[in-house]
Amino acid sequence: MAYTFRPAEPRDVRSITDIYNASVLAGGSTADLTPRTVEQRREWLESHKPPYGVFVVEATDESTEPDGLPELFGTFDAPSPVVGFGALSVFYNRAGYDGVTDLAYYIAPEWQRKGVGTFLLSNLLDEARSRHMRKACGIIFADNAGSIALMRRFGFTRFGLMPAAAADSTGTMRDMSYWYLDL
């Protein structure tokens, strides 16, 4: 399986909404208590003006084309499935924080633990650097083992822990951990 990374487009809003809402309903990765509507996600996507942005990961399986058919009929134009998305967002809406980005990422449940998060975070950090960001921050539930492992893998430093800071959709109060990386 191979993955591609690209800027999100309006056609991706449904996939982004579905992936995000799966995380809301599962609990443990977002402090939204109820699923978001497609319109709310559309507004969120549109709010990301440069240098910020929203990006998607698509899965591409080169083995899905039967042998010989591409030569006879050309390549297939079936869309690749969006399996994750991430965002570079405003960290704090004051001019002195320009160049610091809050990053977030969500992976479709059936695609977790398949390398999508590593691929996505690597590309998000490359995007942040190319957009001249100086720091990336992640705010993560302290018991989210997958995201904590990603933060460590990419060299982020934990700089804070806020006990019982946020609830998730299951009603569980969770500690928040704060991470940064100098870019």
Side-chain angles (χ1 to χ4, degrees), residues 15-85:
S15 295
I16 289 169
T17 303
D18 291 345
I19 291 167
Y20 185 74
N21 285 343
S23 292
V24 171
L25 294 173
S29 61
T30 177
D32 269 326
L33 303 179
T34 58
R36 304 290 89 189
T37 67
V38 170
E39 186 55 35
Q40 287 170 321
R41 287 279 93 177
R42 182 181 328 282
E43 290 170 5
W44 173 80
L45 174 64
E46 291 170 356
S47 75
H48 284 76
K49 306 292 183 208
Y52 306 101
V54 179
F55 306 88
V56 297
V57 172
E58 293 176 317
T60 55
D61 184 356
E62 292 132 9
S63 67
T64 58
E65 293 180 354
D67 288 340
L69 288 181
E71 295 84 19
L72 297 174
F73 301 107
T75 59
F76 294 102
D77 292 326
S80 299
V82 173
V83 299
F85 73 93

Side-chain angles (χ1 to χ4, degrees), residues 130-146:
S130 75
R131 292 163 183 252
H132 308 290
M133 299 291 178
R134 56 191 167 82
K135 287 192 186 295
C137 294
I139 303 170
I140 302 167
F141 288 149
D143 61 350
N144 184 331

